[in-house]
Amino acid sequence: MDTSNIILVGPPGAGKGTQAIMLREKLDALYISTGDLFRSHLSNETDLGKEAQKYMSAGELVPDALTINMLSQELEKKSDDHGFILDGFPRNVVQADALSELLDRKDLSIDVVLFFNVPNDELVRRLSTRYTCKVCQAPQNINQSEGNVTSKCNLCEGELYQRNDDAPEAIKRRLDVYDQETKPILNYYEEQNLLTEINSVGSVEEVFTRVEGALQ
Ligand code: AP5
């Protein structure tokens, strides 16, 4: 896989985080998940974490100014000889424009935008059964943990918990917000010939094979 500046886009529960973990092992790239960063701020009880939580638990987007500022600081960690994988950013056209400006200033560009496409009923099923590791933030499915909610993370043995935005009302709101605010960036990147759709129904391994194929 040669491509290294990658954006992962898709509805909540499409498997962006799951595929990102596998991609990170293949590509030596800086991985930035804005959702993970907000959750990390929250667990460290920072002001940003407390502010973000008000929006996250309701399934709303965190205000652009806060999000863009946080993303900009993270991008500073990128070294010249490594690419980046952005998961969950941009989430609307304002953020996409801001990213474009940030990258221009650094003389960087996006190689590909992978759009993970999954029907809504499957998204709801995945999110309702998801458990997340408190330590490494890896998502896991309750079925994969054999129904035992106290089981440990299969990557780092950390404790698993259920995200409060995986409650039914918040899932519904997140799907609506995706339709209204995030879907327009699919056209935005399609017009720039950057968008590649990945059929994300199938096993995690099957989807990853499609990702690898798209990045060849
Ligand atoms: P964020 O953490 O980015 O959440 P999201 O985009 O809603 O995506 P998810 O993490 O829910 O899903 P995913 O696609 O990563 O799927 P996963 O791999 O976990 O954002 C959370 C909140 O933070 C936002 O709502 C917002 O408030 C705020 N935020 C973040 N970024 C922001 C931004 N840029 N601007 C403003 N606000 C922002 O998989 C889901 C489940 O499915 C798992 O259980 C997994 O094991 C399972 N699974 C994965 N693949 C498969 C498969 N192929 N088959 C079966 N099961 C699978």
Side-chain angles (χ1 to χ4, degrees):
M1 281 191 277
D2 305 328
T3 312
S4 56
N5 291 342
I6 302 169
I7 295 183
L8 311 182
V9 183
K16 304 179 295 294
T18 302
Q19 295 297 322
I21 289 171
M22 298 164 83
L23 260 185
R24 282 156 68 187
E25 283 179 16
K26 293 263 176 182
L27 303 170
D28 195 12
L30 174 69
Y31 172 62
I32 303 177
S33 156
T34 41
D36 284 357
L37 286 171
F38 283 133
R39 282 183 289 278
S40 169
H41 274 280
L42 182 65
S43 66
N44 291 325
E45 300 184 350
T46 68
D47 289 343
L48 175 58
K50 287 175 198 159
E51 183 64 17
Q53 174 63 6
K54 294 181 206 161
Y55 300 92
M56 293 171 78
S57 53
E60 304 290 343
L61 295 186
V62 177
D64 289 332
L66 294 178
T67 309
I68 292 165
N69 185 43
M70 179 178 76
L71 186 276
S72 163
Q73 287 175 21
E74 284 301 306
L75 260 186
E76 290 301 321
K77 296 179 185 166
K78 184 187 160 327
S79 59
D80 289 344
D81 45 354
H82 294 93
F84 60 74
I85 303 169
L86 298 189
D87 170 3
F89 188 99
R91 252 342 203 261
N92 58 28
V93 172
V94 171
Q95 294 182 11
D97 281 336
L99 178 64
S100 174
E101 276 176 37
L102 278 171
L103 295 179
D104 279 352
R105 260 186 262 141
K106 292 174 173 296
D107 209 15
L108 293 170
S109 58
I110 299 163
D111 292 309
V112 67
V113 178
L114 299 179
F115 162 42
F116 293 88
N117 199 1
V118 177
N120 272 23
D121 54 350
E122 172 68 3
L123 295 172
V124 172
R125 192 193 67 74
R126 289 184 186 181
L127 291 172
S128 327
T129 55
R130 170 171 62 186
Y131 280 72
T132 303
C133 177
K134 276 188 179 170
V135 179
C136 74
Q137 309 232 30
Q140 273 139 69
N141 196 280
I142 193 172
N143 299 326
Q144 290 164 6
S145 354
E146 297 172 341
N148 179 358
V149 294
T150 60
S151 67
K152 302 287 183 198
C153 170
N154 57 24
L155 295 180
C156 77
E157 304 243 303
E159 193 184 336
L160 296 179
Y161 76 106
Q162 205 160 17
R163 281 169 44 176
N164 61 6
D165 61 348
D166 283 343
E169 272 311 300
I171 291 175
K172 187 174 177 308
R173 183 63 195 143
R174 287 160 68 204
L175 290 171
D176 287 345
V177 168
Y178 171 77
D179 281 343
Q180 290 156 18
E181 301 201 37
T182 307
K183 261 190 181 168
I185 69 171
L186 301 179
N187 275 342
Y188 179 99
Y189 285 123
E190 192 156 34
E191 282 167 7
Q192 298 176 36
N193 281 326
L194 289 172
L195 195 75
T196 297
E197 181 171 335
I198 306 286
N199 169 10
S200 305
V201 177
S203 71
V204 169
E205 294 73 22
E206 283 166 344
V207 175
F208 190 64
T209 301
R210 293 173 201 145
V211 169
E212 287 182 302
L215 296 181
Q216 290 307 325

